[in-house]
Structures are given as structure tokens and as C-alpha cells.
Amino acid sequence: MDQSLMHMQQQQLRSPGFRPFCARQGFPGHFRRSFTCCEARATETQTPSKDQMQKRDRLTRSQEVPDLPAPRSPFNTGSMDITTAGATASLCGHDLPSEKTIIIVRHGLTTWNEQSRIQGTADDSDITPYGQEQAIRARNALSRMNIDSLFSSPLKRARTTSEIMWQGREGPLNYIESLKEAPLGWLQGMTNADAEKKDPEQFEVWRKDPAKFSFDGRYPLLEVYDKAKEAWTEILEAPGSSHLIITHKSMARAFLCTALALPPTSFRSLDMNNGGVSIFRVNKRGEPMLTNMNMVSHEHYDGVYY
């Protein structure tokens, strides 16, 4: 890049008028500072040409094409050809009519998230204004992707996120029970601090070895794994080649773990932020490949597209 241009852009970064999304939303200073290096590096990236952007804008299709893969951005380069990758075991046990793109998004920030309160299947928390903004920004980041249908948890925080993200789209919006959050019994509605005081031993089991956590004879993590497998089957059987999923943190983790053949002991090795976007490609044999995980750049910068 021309040194004078790079210097000018770096000067713009230092100007009082430049504020990334995290600063505009009132994040604390220590959080904003963690993005300084990213901001500086972003100025060194070459701007895509007009031809490249026009090509990207054409990366949608109005109908399923059985013999062709789902459309992908020309900027998403270097990945393996999933049609021959032999990724993992099939998620549906039979061939699919076409390759599928599955997009997973965690619901926006809620009042209980802000209070560090455990939600589970409780349906008493609401999306905050910031959570609504997360949903809008995720919607914008996915606006150049063709999406045939949306599948969502029926819990209120997921429904609100889904309704925001599906605005301007056609196709069915489906609420399915298998995408609900893990049931957490006595933990639900309690802050993490209060739950730890009430039963330190069981709280530690949930935090450090969740596969062994139980209440009333139920093992929530094992249940959510079974529901994740059920949801995968239902979604892959749906018409179309690209599907959006709105769900919860534990379910999103289980959804990823079951696709990647990770056992319940690996449950906490993955994380999912509010509004975070993960993308799978599933070949015609029903074998998944995780291509992107927990992307949140769209929450901090305008003009980010996946």
C-alpha cells in the first residue's frame, strides 16, 4: 500500500471523529483498547475492486441447484473442497439433494445476561436495546447471503432475535422445540454468585464438569446433545440449500460439538458470544465442515459481510 495513503488512514484512526462500534456503544476503555491493533491492521488491507464487489453481489441464487455447491464469497479462499473432504460422520444417515450452508447465531444480549443470571429454559428475560442492535448488525452482515429458511428456539429471547434478523427476507420462519436452551433446574433465575453460595459443590460440577451435572434425575448436557442431533436432522431435511439457526449458548455449543463429534467433556472448549455467527458447510453425504466460528467483527465495525 502507498505509504502516504497508509499514513493518512492511520491519522484518521487517531482523529477525534473516528469511533468504532464498540466505542460508540459505550464499552469500557480497557475493552476498546483491545481493538487498537485490529484497527491499525485494517487500514493496511487493500480495498476490493469494483469488479470483485460486483462478483460478490451476484453470489446468491433464487433456487436450489442440486449439482452445484452452495454459493460462497470469492474472499473465502484456501478451504478444502468439501465434496471430497470426507469431513466427519453423516448427520442424517443418507445423501442430500445438494450441499447445504448452515448458519448458527446466538440470540442478542438479554437483561439476564447483563445481570449474570442463569437462563436455561426460563422465559422471563428480554432482549436489551444493545441485544437488538446485535441482531440488526448480524442481519446486515448476512445480507449478501441467500438464505432459504430460518429455524429458531421458541423462547422469547430467540424469537425476538429471529424476528429482527428475518426482516426483509422471504421463506419460512420455523420455531422448533429442539433448539431450546438446556434445562437447568434450580439454577435458573439465579445469579452465578447466588447459585455458587446456595450449593458450591453442584455449582462447581456445572462449571467444571457439566456432563456430570444433574437435577431431579435429569442430565441437562446429555439432553441438549440429543436435542442438537434431532435439530440437525430436521434442518438438513428442510427444502433449500441455506438455513439460518437462532439459538442459545449451550445449544449452540452442543450443535457444534455433535457436528464435530466432540464428546460432552469437550462442551466448554467452544464458546459463542451474543450475536456471534458460525457457519457450517454440509456436503451431499451429510458430512459437516465448520468453516467459520463465533464471528463477531460485525459487532464492532460497519460494512462487515460474511
Side-chain angles (χ1 to χ4, degrees), residues 131-170:
Q132 293 176 15
E133 179 69 14
Q134 287 175 316
I136 291 169
R137 296 182 74 84
R139 180 187 68 201
N140 293 342
L142 298 174
S143 63
R144 294 184 178 179
M145 295 183 69
N146 179 56
I147 303 175
D148 297 301
S149 60
L150 184 151
F151 291 84
S152 172
S153 159
L155 296 179
K156 182 168 54 176
R157 54 195 185 271
R159 291 178 70 99
T160 302
T161 303
S162 298
E163 290 165 1
I164 292 171
M165 291 195 64
W166 205 237
Q167 288 176 9
R169 295 224 184 233
E170 297 180 357

Side-chain angles (χ1 to χ4, degrees), residues 71-253:
R72 300 173 61 225
S73 166
F75 300 104
N76 191 358
T77 61
S79 62
M80 182 180 289
D81 179 7
I82 193 172
T83 60
T84 59
T88 58
S90 173
L91 291 169
C92 55
H94 59 79
D95 287 348
L96 299 170
S98 70
E99 178 185 313
K100 299 264 188 176
T101 298
I102 307 297
I103 306 147
I104 304 110
V105 178
R106 184 185 172 195
H107 63 75
L109 186 77
T110 70
T111 51
W112 282 19
N113 288 146
E114 287 187 323
Q115 298 164 13
S116 190
R117 199 173 294 278
I118 299 166
Q119 296 181 116
T121 54
D123 207 12
D124 301 314
S125 63
D126 295 302
I127 296 291
T128 66
Y130 183 70
Q132 293 176 15
E133 179 69 14
Q134 287 175 316
I136 291 169
R137 296 182 74 84
R139 180 187 68 201
N140 293 342
L142 298 174
S143 63
R144 294 184 178 179
M145 295 183 69
N146 179 56
I147 303 175
D148 297 301
S149 60
L150 184 151
F151 291 84
S152 172
S153 159
L155 296 179
K156 182 168 54 176
R157 54 195 185 271
R159 291 178 70 99
T160 302
T161 303
S162 298
E163 290 165 1
I164 292 171
M165 291 195 64
W166 205 237
Q167 288 176 9
R169 295 224 184 233
E170 297 180 357
L173 197 169
N174 309 285
Y175 297 106
I176 60 174
E177 291 291 316
S178 55
L179 288 176
K180 289 176 69 172
E181 182 59 300
L184 293 175
W186 63 271
L187 288 172
Q188 294 182 175
M190 301 188 73
T191 63
N192 281 284
D194 288 343
E196 186 174 16
K197 290 177 183 177
K198 180 176 180 178
D199 193 332
E201 184 177 341
Q202 279 299 301
F203 183 79
E204 185 175 13
V205 172
W206 168 240
R207 299 301 300 175
K208 295 184 177 180
D209 195 1
K212 294 182 179 178
F213 175 77
S214 66
F215 68 94
D216 299 334
R218 300 175 65 180
Y219 287 81
L221 189 53
L222 302 185
E223 288 185 21
V224 83
Y225 259 60
D226 287 340
K227 286 187 175 182
K229 294 174 184 176
E230 179 184 330
W232 265 116
T233 300
E234 181 171 354
I235 292 163
L236 290 177
E237 297 288 354
S241 61
S242 184
H243 309 290
L244 174 61
I245 296 165
I246 309 298
T247 188
H248 310 270
K249 187 170 190 174
S250 292
M251 173 51 71
R253 282 171 158 169

Side-chain angles (χ1 to χ4, degrees), residues 16-55:
F18 178 85
R19 293 200 303 163
F21 176 69
C22 56
R24 297 199 301 272
Q25 292 300 313
F27 279 96
H30 71 276
F31 189 82
R32 294 199 304 269
R33 284 194 295 274
S34 68
F35 291 96
T36 303
C37 293
C38 295
E39 293 163 3
R41 285 197 298 272
T43 64
E44 301 176 13
T45 303
Q46 293 284 355
T47 302
S49 69
K50 183 177 180 180
D51 287 344
Q52 286 175 317
M53 295 309 296
Q54 287 176 341
K55 182 178 180 181

